[in-house]
Amino acid sequence: MSVMERLDQDLKQAMKDKATVKLSVIRMVKAAIKNEEITKGSQLSEDDVLTILGRELKQRRDSLHEFEKAGREDLAGKTREEMEILTSYLPAQLSEDEIRQIVRETISQVGATTKKEMGKVMGAIIPKVKGKADGTLVQKIVSEELPS
């Protein structure tokens, strides 16, 4: 079952269950997907949908950080719940060790020797971990693995 089919199915179920937060998140995601389809002028691929889900999750993560910093636990709790819902549609996330292994393999494939070549390494890694790892974590690991 594709992500879009799951979203449609879960939308109907959330309406029946009167799960307001889940309903709100799914509608927001579907609207973002529809906007992207309109912009692109065609149907989105599964990868494109996962990219949108990742973007939505990143926005929530950033908001959560700001809410916690401001001491707004009420908003932070709602954001955590939204993040949980979004995460359920994304593929299983890679562990830090798995990411580190992919980074090492990619560095040797690309032949990077210094941090100046970080862009080249990131360009090769991102397609491999798209939707399965947080870009910030990948960037941190690449930075650690490349010699100065």
Side-chain angles (χ1 to χ4, degrees), residues 12-44:
K12 291 174 192 170
Q13 192 60 47
M15 284 182 196
K16 288 177 186 173
D17 297 344
K18 296 183 180 9
T20 55
V21 175
K22 187 169 189 171
L23 188 61
S24 165
V25 170
I26 293 173
R27 283 182 172 157
M28 208 174 327
V29 168
K30 286 182 64 79
I33 291 168
K34 193 67 173 167
N35 286 338
E36 194 73 26
E37 284 178 344
I38 291 168
T39 303
K40 191 175 178 183
S42 65
Q43 194 77 21
L44 295 181

Side-chain angles (χ1 to χ4, degrees), residues 58-118:
K58 185 179 183 326
Q59 287 174 354
R60 303 297 187 301
R61 203 175 282 132
D62 294 344
S63 297
L64 179 64
H65 177 70
E66 293 302 316
F67 293 149
E68 287 174 340
K69 204 164 74 174
R72 295 293 310 264
E73 193 50 46
D74 54 331
L75 295 173
K78 183 177 183 281
T79 304
R80 279 189 206 96
E81 191 175 346
E82 291 176 358
M83 288 172 63
E84 243 177 69
I85 294 166
L86 288 169
T87 304
S88 71
Y89 294 101
L90 290 168
Q93 298 293 294
L94 296 170
S95 70
E96 193 169 328
D97 292 336
E98 291 170 321
I99 296 169
R100 197 169 294 280
Q101 182 61 37
I102 292 170
V103 167
R104 288 180 183 142
E105 289 170 8
T106 306
I107 288 173
S108 65
Q109 287 170 357
V110 173
T113 55
T114 66
K115 285 195 181 186
K116 290 179 184 175
E117 297 172 289
M118 189 165 172

